[in-house]
Amino acid sequence: MQLFSCDHCGNTVYFENNRCEHCGHSLGYLPEENALVSLDPSTDGAWTAPAVPGKTYIYCDNARHGACNWLVTQEEGGPIFCLACRHNETIPALDDPDNLTRWQTIERAKKRLFYSLLRLGLPLETRLENPEHGLAFRFLADGNAPVMTGHENGIITIALAEADDAERERRRTGMGEPYRTLLGHFRHEIGHHYWDLLVREKPPEARYRELFGDERADYGQALKSYYANGAPAGWPATHISAYATAHPWEDFAETFAHYLHITDTVEMAAAFGIRAKPRTGDESLAIPPVRFDPYMAPDMSEIIDNWIPLASLLNNLNRAMGQTDAYPFVLSPPVIGKLAFVNDLVHQAPALEQLAALDEVE
């Protein structure tokens, strides 16, 4: 994630802002420009953006619920939902104030996911565009049975309860997890989606199996075994998390999530100009200035070289505040190899899409 500034007054503003607190201008996010732009009122409730002359915009329809600050071009009969919200298939009943508050929280996390997906240029077809594998979200409140967060053929279900900090912490401790966040859920489940699109029966499949294992192993039985016995001894030497050991699909999804964690955080560190030279003289913890775009970096080792000391800094700052580690994970060489596979994969995505299109034509 990058930092943004108000193009009217120069004040630093943040991704979720819909108003500049310094000059009072309304703000909206333009995904095609990757810009948070100041707005001037136009006609019929529309807006113009001085930074992007010649166009008129409206807010995504979910802005009226306080759940979105993204913009769409005003066109007669055009879309009323932004590039992120158009993927919502089911949202909770908003006449319940708790549902509304939790959904707003979920949308903030989802927008950060979409920031990354758009920066990487990954395919984002809707269910209307691709009824079989298009991306859709269901945000569901518990009913007679708890909602299970998960993915199936492009449909990602997120339990509304995960937006409640206390409930999410209860689940985290109950499941023995070192880390559990809404954004983490989104990044994990989208990993399953992109495995379907970019790996399944595609050229990278063979290399995937070399690194992650054979996903044709019985998934249900693998999960039963994991929940009964836990992760095997020595798992940190080969996997990013204990849950990644459950099945090769989960290993990929966990690795994909961490790839997004790392890339997005390195970009934010670059935006702040973070650099460090520890007084202990330990050069392995020195943080050089980031002079590249981590979202566009073809070499994962360049990202990792910046990430490892940055993660150490984040963890030690958290400990100084009496908090748990921000990143309680170890990147072993095999895990770094898996992260490099994901990095290669996402940068090959446009070429893989073209191959898929040719196959359909044939």
Side-chain angles (χ1 to χ4, degrees):
M1 179 63 66
Q2 68 180 51
L3 284 175
F4 298 92
S5 61
C6 174
D7 56 60
H8 180 77
C9 69
N11 185 52
T12 297
V13 292
Y14 301 96
F15 185 59
E16 289 82 9
N17 287 162
N18 58 15
R19 182 177 181 272
C20 175
E21 296 299 327
H22 183 261
C23 69
H25 267 71
S26 294
L27 302 171
Y29 182 68
L30 280 176
E32 62 271 25
E33 303 287 341
N34 189 25
L36 196 59
V37 296
S38 67
L39 301 169
D40 291 328
S42 182
T43 58
D44 301 324
W47 304 84
T48 57
V52 190
K55 294 185 179 180
T56 307
Y57 298 97
I58 57 173
Y59 279 106
C60 172
D61 195 56
N62 284 335
R64 63 193 174 96
H65 302 297
C68 189
N69 69 338
W70 288 31
L71 300 168
V72 295
T73 304
Q74 185 187 38
E75 299 173 356
E76 186 174 348
I80 61 171
F81 291 109
C82 70
L83 286 176
C85 290
R86 67 177 185 160
H87 292 275
N88 289 358
E89 181 183 282
T90 306
I91 63 172
L94 301 182
D95 54 355
D96 181 328
D98 288 337
N99 283 355
L100 175 59
T101 299
R102 292 176 183 180
W103 177 56
Q104 291 168 338
T105 301
I106 282 174
E107 283 294 334
R108 287 194 291 272
K110 190 193 82 181
K111 296 302 189 304
R112 285 184 171 255
L113 170 72
F114 271 81
Y115 172 90
S116 296
L117 304 182
L118 290 165
R119 290 279 280 112
L120 292 167
L122 289 170
L124 286 169
E125 289 181 308
T126 65
R127 296 303 276 191
L128 287 175
E129 294 165 331
N130 183 342
E132 185 177 357
H133 288 296
L135 179 63
F137 293 93
R138 296 173 179 172
F139 305 130
L140 304 179
D142 290 343
N144 295 329
V147 173
M148 300 299 292
T149 292
H151 166 269
E152 184 175 4
N153 293 329
I155 297 175
I156 292 175
T157 300
I158 302 289
L160 203 63
E162 292 284 350
D164 180 270
D165 291 342
E167 174 59 21
R168 191 173 61 255
E169 178 65 11
R170 185 191 69 79
R171 296 184 183 193
R172 185 190 71 78
T173 56
M175 300 181 75
E177 298 173 339
Y179 175 93
R180 188 182 183 94
T181 67
L182 268 177
L183 186 52
H185 282 316
F186 275 112
R187 287 171 170 169
H188 174 98
E189 301 304 339
I190 206 72
H192 287 300
H193 177 59
Y194 285 117
W195 186 90
D196 282 347
L197 295 185
L198 304 178
V199 180
R200 184 195 296 270
E201 298 179 354
K202 301 289 193 308
E205 188 178 61
R207 178 60 177 157
Y208 160 80
R209 287 176 179 163
E210 289 177 11
L211 291 169
F212 295 87
D214 192 337
E215 82 288 349
R216 292 170 292 189
D218 188 280
Y219 180 70
Q221 187 57 47
L223 287 188
K224 284 182 182 179
S225 176
Y226 172 77
Y227 285 120
N229 305 311
W235 65 263
T238 54
H239 293 76
I240 191 65
S241 68
Y243 187 57
T245 68
H247 187 274
W249 280 338
E250 299 303 340
D251 193 8
F252 179 83
E254 285 285 88
T255 304
F256 195 95
H258 281 258
Y259 170 75
L260 295 183
H261 291 335
I262 291 167
T263 302
D264 203 47
T265 308
V266 169
E267 185 186 43
M268 180 56 80
F272 269 94
I274 290 178
R275 62 186 71 186
K277 187 172 180 64
R279 293 183 178 179
T280 61
D282 187 348
E283 288 300 321
S284 68
L285 296 181
I287 301 175
V290 179
R291 304 191 187 280
F292 65 98
D293 181 351
Y295 276 104
M296 296 295 104
D299 185 355
M300 190 68 201
S301 63
E302 191 173 20
I303 301 173
I304 294 298
D305 287 345
N306 282 269
W307 171 248
I308 290 176
L310 178 60
S312 178
L313 173 63
L314 292 171
N315 288 343
N316 280 285
L317 289 174
N318 264 28
R319 293 171 194 174
M321 293 290 293
Q323 299 291 329
T324 57
D325 284 356
Y327 191 75
F329 304 95
V330 175
L331 300 184
S332 65
V335 167
I336 292 173
K338 294 175 184 179
L339 289 165
F341 173 84
V342 172
N343 189 51
D344 291 343
L345 186 70
V346 298
H347 290 300
Q348 293 168 10
L352 292 172
E353 274 197 286
Q354 290 176 2
L355 285 174
L358 289 173
D359 288 342
E360 290 178 5
V361 171
E362 292 173 359

